[in-house]
Amino acid sequence: MTSVTEAQKAVRPAPGGKERRGVMDRGAWFLVLPALIPILVLSVGPLLYGIALSLTDAQSGRTRPTQWIGTLNFTDLLHDTLFWESFRIGLVWAVGVTVPQFLLALGLALLLNEDLRLRWLARALAIVPWAMPEVVVGVMWRLVYNPDAGILNETIRDLGLGDGRDWLSGLGTALPAVVVVGIWAGLPTTTVALLAGLQNTPRELHEAAAVDGAGAWRRFRTVTWPALRPVALSITALNLIWNFNSFALVYVLTSGGPGGRTRLPMLFAYEEAFRYGQFGYAAAMGCVMVALISILLALFLVGRLRGGDEA
Amino acid sequence: MRTGRTARAGQYVALLAYLVFLAFPFLWLISTAFKPPRELGSLHPTWIPRDPTLANFRQAFDEQPLLHAALNSLIAALGAALVAVLLATPMAYVMARHRTRLARAATGWVIVSQAFPLVLVIIPLFLVLKNLRLINSMPGLITVYVVWALPFALWMLVGYVRAVPPELEEAAAVDGAGRLRTLVSVTAPLLAPGIVATAMFAFVTAWNEFFFALVLLKTPEKQTLPVILTHFIGAEGVADLGPLAAAAFLATLPSLVVFALIQRRITGGMLTGAVKN
């Protein structure tokens, strides 16, 4: 950085691409290593170690040495109906949270982009679910869902819709009940991300389209959506992955019950590893989850690339 | 743009529905926290406690080591935030200014690291930390939190560095300032608000974290607030509602305050992150 030659200036791309190309010098490496070493040692390292563990019979608190057992954990997993059931629940949960949440957030973002009076309040309140510890969100909704002292059943009784029920313990109601909490918890993040994307849409384009007589839906389709698409796809991909891997919320709400109806893959893997001490087997579960998530992510990235590089 | 009157009314109805949906569980939490046991047991609960009391808060502190847990949370969150920012800022600077393969790989890692189920990382970390005798210890937890916060800190900071025009640095270089001098006297002051926002974000993330704390902290005197909170819910899932609500309400306040302070900056960071990458 000390010497910027005329040649470098000449090849520098027009505004927008201000990064300099080329090899990093020694000084740059000195700046990079403090963060790079911990990432490699404590993040990439454990990941590789974890993959290695999935090929062993590692267990906690055992005297016999750990042995390589090849792909035995994976063949066991293939036949583990409980695991596949949790996988199915994980997918239902991830999609069940992400899709309604996206649609709600999109509507809200469009709404909050308008000049409305209570907009500030909506933005201020949106901080609450976002900043709350997941454990607290879980606790809070347990209070709402409480069969006797909860506000949900009381509201149902007040409206004369019956006596209400024990939402989190019902075989049929537990999963929908936790899905609602998942939607609530992530709604602000998604809304804010989409709102940020909306505010990047050139207003003039909107006005020009309106002058040309385009209706609201047409303006959304031809002006808003193309500009919003990259943000929308990124946030949806991330939400799907985060939700699929989520743990704390459902752990606090139902601990995976009743009868495993809300046992997300992470809860299942946690129990295998830290309740039953099956480290190798749980690591294998983690590997399968990563593999399937990667496929999901790849599909999304392909979708994003095919849409052109609007970003 | 002109909006019709009915459309406007519809917008307000939708906004109101959103506000109710956002607010009602939180208001219910607060209401429950201030109710005496008699009202909590009643089959017809009310929004506003008829007989508001602080007894639940007292009972919460009596039943669980809340103060100690808050202190543990504070140590873990402060430690994680400080170390993460200290390590990430220099690297973020290089990533923002040099378009190298490493910078691309690091950006890719940010996305990929979000995709890991934590269980795949925690099992090996648990074994390693156990061998280092760092299970049930703050240094062990902070180490995990730092590594966990690094990718996102990098992501946020790169955005902030990019917002500092390189021309300023070049001008300082032309004036004869060395690289370090330029970084310290030109770049750092402009970057400071971004660094603070990133640190606060890392703080809140660590303050709220549950999974690692659950796995790594074994004894109540070491546990952080989120883990202690789950102790209020008994083995059969039966909870003492009042103290539970009181403790949950208290655990939220710090992150709520910090988040209110940085929320705008994070939105900005998300925007640049989502658009430029």
Side-chain angles (χ1 to χ4, degrees), chain B residues 138-250:
Chain B
M138 274 300 138
L141 186 70
I142 291 174
T143 308
V144 174
Y145 281 177
V146 166
V147 177
W148 186 50
L150 269 179
F152 210 83
L154 281 171
W155 171 285
M156 277 178 79
L157 284 166
V158 167
Y160 289 122
V161 175
R162 286 208 177 128
V164 176
E167 286 77 14
L168 290 178
E169 287 167 8
E170 282 156 20
V174 170
D175 288 346
R179 174 191 230 176
L180 197 65
R181 180 85 200 281
T182 312
L183 278 181
V184 171
S185 59
V186 178
T187 319
L190 289 167
L191 214 53
I195 293 176
V196 171
T198 309
M200 288 168 108
F201 189 73
F203 177 91
V204 174
T205 320
W207 178 274
N208 293 351
E209 205 282 330
F210 178 63
F211 183 67
F212 291 136
L214 177 72
V215 172
L216 295 178
L217 305 172
K218 295 293 167 199
T219 54
E221 65 267 22
K222 293 283 182 190
Q223 283 169 343
T224 53
L225 265 180
V227 183
I228 288 291
L229 264 183
T230 61
H231 294 338
F232 282 100
I233 305 166
E236 263 77 55
V238 183
D240 209 349
L241 298 180
L244 175 68
F249 178 63
L250 288 179

Side-chain angles (χ1 to χ4, degrees), chain B residues 45-70:
Chain B
T46 49
W47 271 105
I48 297 164
R50 268 164 288 184
D51 211 358
T53 170
L54 289 174
N56 291 326
F57 290 88
R58 210 172 311 131
Q59 199 185 333
F61 278 96
D62 285 345
E63 274 176 20
Q64 297 290 339
L66 274 191
L67 212 60
H68 201 78

Side-chain angles (χ1 to χ4, degrees), chain A residues 1-2 4 9 12 17-25 27-29 31-32 34-36 38-39 42-44 46-47 49-51 53 61 108 111-112 114-119 121-123 125-136 139-144 146 148-151 154 157 180 183-184 187-189 191-193 196-197 200 206-207 210 219 231 234-235 238 241-242 245 247-248 251-252 266 269-270 273-274 279 282-283 286-287 289-290 293 297 304 311, chain B residues 1 3 8 11-12 14-16 18-19 21-26 28-29 32 39-47 87-88 90-91 93-100 102 104 109 111-128 130 143 147 150-152 154 162 165-167 169-170 173 177-179 183 201 204 207-208 210-211 214-215 218 226 229-230 233 237-239 241 244-245 248-249 251-252 255-256 259-260 263-264 266-267 270-271 274-275 277:
Chain A
M1 232 135 301
T2 39
V4 179
K9 271 186 184 159
R12 187 173 336 133
K18 279 182 178 159
E19 303 88 350
R20 257 154 275 190
R21 277 156 211 285
V23 207
M24 292 195 322
D25 52 46
W29 276 106
L31 294 174
V32 163
L36 193 62
I39 288 180
L42 288 157
S43 192
V44 182
L47 185 73
Y49 187 8
I51 294 169
L53 274 173
L108 284 168
L111 196 64
L112 295 179
E114 301 274 325
D115 289 316
L116 293 182
R117 247 158 236 256
L118 287 172
R119 199 164 65 157
L121 185 61
R123 288 185 178 194
L125 265 180
I127 293 175
V128 177
W130 198 355
M132 258 187 177
E134 272 187 293
V135 169
V136 175
V139 164
M140 191 173 70
W141 279 88
R142 278 185 76 125
L143 299 174
V144 170
N146 188 288
D148 303 322
I151 189 64
E154 180 59 15
R157 287 191 289 261
V180 169
I183 293 171
W184 185 89
L187 192 56
T189 334
T191 307
V192 168
N200 244 24
H206 245 283
E207 275 152 19
R219 285 204 303 274
V231 180
S234 311
I235 194 73
L238 280 174
I241 292 163
W242 281 331
N245 289 333
F247 175 82
Y251 179 88
V252 174
M266 269 290 287
Y270 165 79
F274 297 101
F279 284 154
C287 289
M289 286 166 72
V290 170
I293 291 163
L297 196 67
R304 184 174 171 168
Chain B
M1 228 163 301
T3 315
R8 224 339 79 111
Q11 285 175 346
Y12 275 107
L15 187 64
L16 213 63
Y18 174 53
L19 290 177
F21 183 53
L22 266 189
F24 95 94
F26 191 57
W28 187 246
L29 173 75
T32 310
E39 284 186 50
L40 286 168
S42 101
L43 200 63
H44 290 287
T46 49
W47 271 105
L87 298 181
M91 179 159 175
Y93 179 79
V94 174
M95 280 168 63
R97 289 288 188 255
H98 299 253
R99 187 176 283 215
T100 61
L102 180 76
R104 278 164 191 276
W109 181 252
I111 300 173
V112 174
S113 68
Q114 296 293 325
F116 294 151
L118 295 179
V119 71
L120 189 56
V121 184
I122 194 65
I123 296 172
L125 275 176
F126 182 84
L127 292 173
V128 171
K130 202 173 161 191
T143 308
V147 177
L150 269 179
F152 210 83
L154 281 171
R162 286 208 177 128
E167 286 77 14
E169 287 167 8
E170 282 156 20
R179 174 191 230 176
L183 278 181
F201 189 73
V204 174
W207 178 274
N208 293 351
F210 178 63
F211 183 67
L214 177 72
V215 172
K218 295 293 167 199
L229 264 183
T230 61
I233 305 166
V238 183
L241 298 180
L244 175 68
F249 178 63
T252 310
S255 35
L256 218 53
F259 223 87
Q263 178 246 4
R264 267 170 201 285
I266 293 181
T267 316
M270 274 174 73
L271 177 63
V275 174
N277 285 289

Side-chain angles (χ1 to χ4, degrees), chain A residues 241 287-300, chain B residues 115:
Chain A
I241 292 163
C287 289
V288 172
M289 286 166 72
V290 170
L292 288 161
I293 291 163
S294 309
I295 294 170
L296 202 74
L297 196 67
L299 288 176
F300 251 95

